[in-house]
Amino acid sequence: MTNSTHRATISELVDTARMALLPGGNAATAVIALQEALLQAPRDIGLILFLGDAQHAAGQRKQAGQSYGVALRLASQIASSSIPPGIQEALNRAGDRRNEYARQYEAFLRSKLTGGGESSRFSESLEILFGRRQIYVQQPTKFYFPGLPQIQFYNTDLFDWAADLEAKTDSIRHELLNVMADEAAFAPYLPEEDKTSAHVRSVPLQGSLDWAAFYIWQDGQKVATNAARCPVTASAFDKVPLDFLPGQAPSVLFSRLKPGAHIPPHCGLINTRLIGHLPLIVPGPAWLRVGNEVHYWKEGKLVVFDDSIEHEAKNEATETRVVLLFDFWRPEITLPERQQISELISAIAEYSGEAVARES
């Protein structure tokens, strides 16, 4: 393509590629020419798209997909109004071809899977492999405990106390309705003065009753007057391994979300506990996203999730949604580890003057 006395210009290399792509030409020669041209202009979107087209013509589908991907990413960084029509047409073609490559890849892989009845985990692995789901992992903002499984939503059959708690739904809801008759009983879930919450920097709900709470347990202490108003609710946790951390956890509360209220994506403070939701009032579509999975609350059906994985929630119904929210020890953590974690979290809070483990 070049010799010691003359280095081909981009224009000459492009002409070589065009000739090579004519009927009877050699597409592989076009690929080589365009690769050399890109050494001189590595961020030229037109050249990259042309290379992708040449690789497609040469049957190099994997390489073409990579080239098209680079061009699409570069184009996404500039205003669409500044992209010439010819380049935009080529970008559209690149996107279509990448989608077609992805369909062919998926069809090939699925044709090799002979077993039936895929597990939910295997199905999720395919969704991630094919780019339809993102990978999310634990990212607690205050304290990370290693070696724990990355599970977004837990199967509630794992917890021997879950069925008993669900069986109390009607009685707990009755107590909730009595509390809700007193509007003053609820306070903002995120108090205006709270500077320790993981939500403070990103949630417009701080100080708002759109997301409100009525605590049975708060910051590791039973709220005696509230527990007396809701005796069934207070006693429902006698068998639940609440994560006792002096001055910080557990919390057990009625969590109220008004119509349209949205809790933006965030991660909890620690990953040594799980969060439980017992839905009590779900008047319409209301959802919780944890990682790459969205769950719609159903009254009386317990939900358990890892709040150290990015999550968000929204009440899309026209009426208020209320769940009984609580935090408890992860089952993978041993009793000696619980004691050590409790002592450590308390020491961190004492030194820093800030709570480390309040629920999110």
Side-chain angles (χ1 to χ4, degrees), residues 4-333:
S4 59
T5 60
H6 173 70
R7 181 183 185 184
T9 66
I10 292 177
S11 178
E12 290 171 336
L13 291 165
V14 168
D15 286 342
T16 298
R18 285 179 178 147
M19 291 294 294
L21 291 173
L22 291 174
N26 186 341
T29 298
V31 170
I32 295 170
L34 291 168
Q35 288 174 332
E36 187 170 341
L38 279 165
L39 293 176
Q40 301 178 47
R43 294 179 64 86
D44 187 309
I45 295 176
L47 278 179
I48 298 170
L49 288 167
F50 196 6
L51 173 60
D53 290 343
Q55 290 167 327
H56 177 84
Q60 301 172 8
R61 301 299 174 89
K62 179 179 178 180
Q63 294 86 344
Q66 293 170 342
S67 296
Y68 288 144
V70 171
L72 289 164
R73 284 193 295 274
L74 288 174
S76 70
Q77 298 169 11
I78 60 179
S80 57
S81 59
S82 66
I83 298 176
I87 296 296
Q88 186 59 62
E89 181 180 346
L91 288 167
N92 294 339
R93 182 173 63 251
D96 290 342
R97 281 182 175 168
R98 277 174 59 86
N99 290 336
E100 178 58 28
Y101 297 160
R103 286 191 292 269
Q104 292 172 353
Y105 179 53
E106 179 174 351
F108 174 82
L109 293 185
R110 288 192 180 279
S111 72
K112 301 297 182 179
L113 301 177
T114 59
E118 295 174 358
S119 70
S120 59
R121 289 192 299 180
F122 186 78
S123 296
E124 182 180 345
S125 75
L126 292 178
E127 292 292 293
I128 292 171
L129 178 64
F130 300 140
R132 289 192 287 269
R133 287 204 194 186
Q134 184 177 339
I135 298 174
Y136 289 87
V137 296
Q138 297 164 357
Q139 297 184 76
T141 59
K142 291 290 186 179
F143 175 70
Y144 177 80
F145 191 85
L148 298 175
Q150 306 281 343
I151 299 173
Q152 296 170 165
F153 286 97
Y154 272 69
N155 184 339
T156 57
D157 291 342
L158 295 172
F159 310 109
D160 56 11
W161 45 265
D164 184 60
L165 181 60
E166 289 181 336
K168 293 182 169 66
T169 297
D170 290 342
S171 298
I172 294 172
R173 185 190 295 112
H174 178 73
E175 292 181 342
L176 165 66
L177 292 173
N178 288 335
V179 171
M180 291 180 70
D182 175 13
E183 176 64 25
F186 281 81
Y189 184 89
L190 298 177
E192 190 69 45
E193 70 280 2
D194 186 1
K195 302 303 181 185
T196 64
S197 172
H199 308 279
V200 169
R201 293 184 298 276
S202 61
V203 177
L205 295 172
Q206 191 176 12
S208 170
L209 286 170
D210 283 357
W211 186 16
F214 177 86
Y215 285 91
I216 308 298
W217 284 79
Q218 184 174 18
D219 296 340
Q221 296 291 327
K222 182 176 286 188
V223 183
T225 55
N226 292 351
R229 295 176 67 175
C230 305
V232 174
T233 306
S235 64
F237 291 90
D238 291 344
K239 296 181 180 179
V240 179
L242 299 175
D243 56 331
F244 287 98
L245 300 172
Q248 301 187 69
S251 291
V252 177
L253 61 139
F254 295 133
S255 174
R256 186 184 73 185
L257 204 58
K258 287 192 173 180
H262 176 219
I263 305 169
H266 63 284
C267 296
L269 298 170
I270 61 178
N271 70 328
T272 55
R273 51 109 187 271
L274 297 175
I275 303 296
H277 284 179
L278 179 64
L280 302 172
I281 299 177
V282 186
W287 51 263
L288 167 69
R289 177 186 67 81
V290 181
N292 58 32
E293 186 175 354
V294 176
H295 174 87
Y296 281 82
W297 289 287
K298 297 179 181 178
E299 291 184 1
K301 183 61 178 175
L302 180 66
V303 183
V304 173
F305 66 98
D306 182 347
D307 78 319
S308 70
I309 297 173
E310 183 187 275
H311 59 288
E312 63 178 317
K314 187 173 184 179
N315 179 15
E316 295 181 337
T318 57
E319 299 178 52
T320 296
R321 179 238 66 176
V322 184
V323 301
L324 177 62
L325 186 156
F326 58 97
D327 47 287
F328 62 98
W329 286 110
R330 297 181 65 120
E332 303 89 0
I333 296 178

